[in-house]
Amino acid sequence: MLNRKEILETIDMVEKEHFDVRTITMGISLLPCIRDDAKKTAQLCYDRICKKAENIVKVASDLGAEYGIPIINKRVSITPASLLTSSFCGKEIILAKALDDAAKTVGIDFLGGYSALVHKGMTSFEKSFIESIPEALAITERMCSSVNVGSSKAGINMDAVNLMGKIVKQTAERTKDRDGFGCAKLVVFCNAVEDNPFMAGAFHGVGEGETVINVGVSGPGVVSHALKSMKGASIDEIAETIKKTAFKITRAGQLIAKEASKRLNAEFGIVDLSLAPTPVMGDSVAHILEEIGLDQVGAHGTTAALAMLNDAVKKGGVMASSNVGGLSGAFIPVSEDIGMINAAKSGAITLNKLEAMTCVCSVGIDMVAIPGDTPATTISGIIADEAAIGMINNKTTAVRVIPVPNKKEGDFVEFGGLLGSAPIMAVSPYGCADMINRGGRMPAPIHSNKN
């Protein structure tokens, strides 16, 4: 049984090791709001979000004070919005504005779910919706967007991959006054999950309940601190320590999640134990890998160390809760991790090494700034590579890159807050336009035929 005593054991984690509940995310089904008219649908969505999530900020604040654990972000995820706009193509922006207004009204940090799932095919209304994304992200502040272009079961929709390269470029151009910041709110998935509490990729899947609470717990500083006293320990001893630490963190997260669900009159969904870093010193996944024995993240051995870390985190989480889900593991967003930022500055880590690391971590190429003149087809190639890794390995992968307008390799970009800063990383000078422009659908791998 979970109790307050277990939470009190985490006091040192909070005070000295940057432990926090990174997010409480309320998933809300907006399917009852669908109407033929854009304004009616938008108004009903606004009203439903404001009603269901009106107390999320207060509850998070109260729980943080009661248990002494900071709750950093309060968020909402919604039904993939392309399902809501099918009857009013070309007017999707009306809904986007209403969603952003609802986020401001209830006081949450972000709202996710301006999303489309086109992993096997793309209807005309979904294409129209995707084409609205650059404008939607340019005119809103708190709304995030995602598109799922592939799955292990369906293969990869290369027409969608081609389109998303253009959408990323257009989004950067529409927000060039903010260094392409709109792209920081846009992620392209393969094998997207329905219960992800983290942005920018959260959406409320159609297989979920009416209102669900998903909690994301993060503690890279806690894990890093636990390893500092283990100089000379074997790798299996390191793995065991990470597993035990992840267990403690997950238990704390489950207590917060269950209590939040009760107070918000919602189902308890999952605890996502993802080591999600911040730019703050002492809160870095890269530093965990360096504690394991790397001179700097990106060195040979990095992928192996990350694989062990990711596996141990998952094992510890599963021991602690029957409701572990989302994307549990280790995130490697470049601009949001001080260790990754330093490695990118020194050249220790490159896009090629990041791609290798994504084979064994949670998600993929994340918060990477690239030259503003990178061709759309090259961005599509990066997306295709990550989607292929996810498809073949039965895991979620994603791409969140920012082609920063008017900046080139070696320049620096500041996004601020949790989104941090990053050097502009080099992309291959060799193109893939002929491949991307072929379109079609890349067939699913043979192991997908399991029925």
Side-chain angles (χ1 to χ4, degrees), residues 83-253:
L83 302 178
L84 310 175
T85 63
S86 60
S87 61
F88 46 88
C89 292
K91 298 180 179 178
E92 295 90 351
I93 297 303
I94 295 172
L95 176 63
K97 290 178 179 177
L99 296 175
D100 200 52
D101 287 344
K104 294 174 185 175
T105 298
V106 298
I108 56 174
D109 301 284
F110 289 108
L111 181 146
Y114 198 77
S115 306
L117 310 179
V118 292
H119 39 280
K120 192 172 184 181
M122 185 164 47
T123 65
S124 58
F125 71 80
E126 286 167 329
K127 187 171 187 290
S128 173
F129 174 85
I130 291 171
E131 289 172 342
S132 77
I133 289 174
E135 182 180 359
L137 294 179
I139 65 171
T140 58
E141 296 177 17
R142 308 187 191 194
M143 192 185 73
C144 295
S145 180
S146 62
V147 177
N148 192 62
V149 299
S151 76
S152 296
K153 190 69 178 175
I156 301 172
N157 182 346
M158 293 301 291
D159 292 319
V161 168
N162 189 354
L163 178 58
M164 287 311 301
K166 299 171 186 174
I167 294 300
V168 170
K169 284 283 285 187
Q170 291 169 20
T171 302
E173 185 62 27
R174 289 295 301 263
T175 56
K176 64 182 178 182
D177 58 322
R178 290 164 279 166
D179 287 325
F181 178 74
C183 295
K185 301 187 294 173
L186 172 61
V187 59
V188 187
F189 278 116
C190 178
N191 289 324
V193 297
E194 297 186 329
D195 56 5
N196 170 21
F198 286 102
M199 299 298 167
F203 64 88
H204 186 69
V206 295
E208 296 287 312
E210 187 169 346
T211 310
V212 178
I213 293 295
N214 297 318
V215 166
V217 185
S218 183
V222 180
V223 176
S224 182
H225 186 269
L227 299 184
K228 286 186 182 297
S229 61
M230 300 194 69
K231 303 297 183 186
S234 66
I235 284 293
D236 52 308
E237 291 172 323
I238 293 289
E240 188 67 16
T241 297
I242 294 170
K243 186 170 69 173
K244 290 177 179 178
T245 305
F247 176 88
K248 292 180 182 179
I249 294 170
T250 307
R251 293 287 279 180

Side-chain angles (χ1 to χ4, degrees), residues 133-393:
I133 289 174
E135 182 180 359
L137 294 179
I139 65 171
T140 58
E141 296 177 17
R142 308 187 191 194
M143 192 185 73
C144 295
S145 180
S146 62
V147 177
N148 192 62
V149 299
S151 76
S152 296
K153 190 69 178 175
I156 301 172
N157 182 346
M158 293 301 291
D159 292 319
V161 168
N162 189 354
L163 178 58
M164 287 311 301
K166 299 171 186 174
I167 294 300
V168 170
K169 284 283 285 187
Q170 291 169 20
T171 302
E173 185 62 27
R174 289 295 301 263
T175 56
K176 64 182 178 182
D177 58 322
R178 290 164 279 166
D179 287 325
F181 178 74
C183 295
K185 301 187 294 173
L186 172 61
V187 59
V188 187
F189 278 116
C190 178
N191 289 324
V193 297
E194 297 186 329
D195 56 5
N196 170 21
F198 286 102
M199 299 298 167
F203 64 88
H204 186 69
V206 295
E208 296 287 312
E210 187 169 346
T211 310
V212 178
I213 293 295
N214 297 318
V215 166
V217 185
S218 183
V222 180
V223 176
S224 182
H225 186 269
L227 299 184
K228 286 186 182 297
S229 61
M230 300 194 69
K231 303 297 183 186
S234 66
I235 284 293
D236 52 308
E237 291 172 323
I238 293 289
E240 188 67 16
T241 297
I242 294 170
K243 186 170 69 173
K244 290 177 179 178
T245 305
F247 176 88
K248 292 180 182 179
I249 294 170
T250 307
R251 293 287 279 180
Q254 176 153 307
L255 178 56
I256 295 292
K258 283 195 168 183
E259 192 60 33
S261 302
K262 187 188 307 179
R263 298 186 189 187
L264 291 167
N265 192 30
E267 295 178 34
F268 166 39
I270 56 93
V271 177
D272 182 320
L273 177 58
S274 287
L275 298 182
T278 72
V280 175
M281 186 62 70
D283 199 24
S284 163
V285 170
H287 288 165
I288 297 174
L289 301 176
E290 289 163 8
E291 283 293 338
I292 292 171
L294 306 173
D295 287 346
Q296 191 166 30
V297 67
H300 295 298
T302 296
T303 304
L306 181 58
M308 184 268 291
L309 171 64
N310 214 54
D311 180 65
V313 166
K314 290 176 184 288
K315 286 174 178 173
V318 169
M319 287 170 61
S321 172
S322 298
N323 295 81
V324 171
L327 301 168
S328 294
F331 289 174
I332 52 170
V334 173
S335 78
E336 298 174 11
D337 184 315
I338 186 64
M340 295 290 288
I341 293 168
N342 291 336
K345 279 183 184 177
S346 69
I349 200 156
T350 64
L351 264 179
N352 287 341
K353 186 59 178 177
L354 281 171
E355 182 181 308
M357 293 166 69
T358 64
C359 296
V360 299
C361 77
S362 293
V363 199
I365 301 290
D366 195 15
M367 286 303 292
V368 174
I370 60 176
D373 62 358
T374 302
T377 49
T378 296
I379 295 172
S380 292
I382 295 171
I383 293 169
D385 285 342
E386 279 302 300
I389 290 171
M391 175 184 70
I392 294 294
N393 291 290

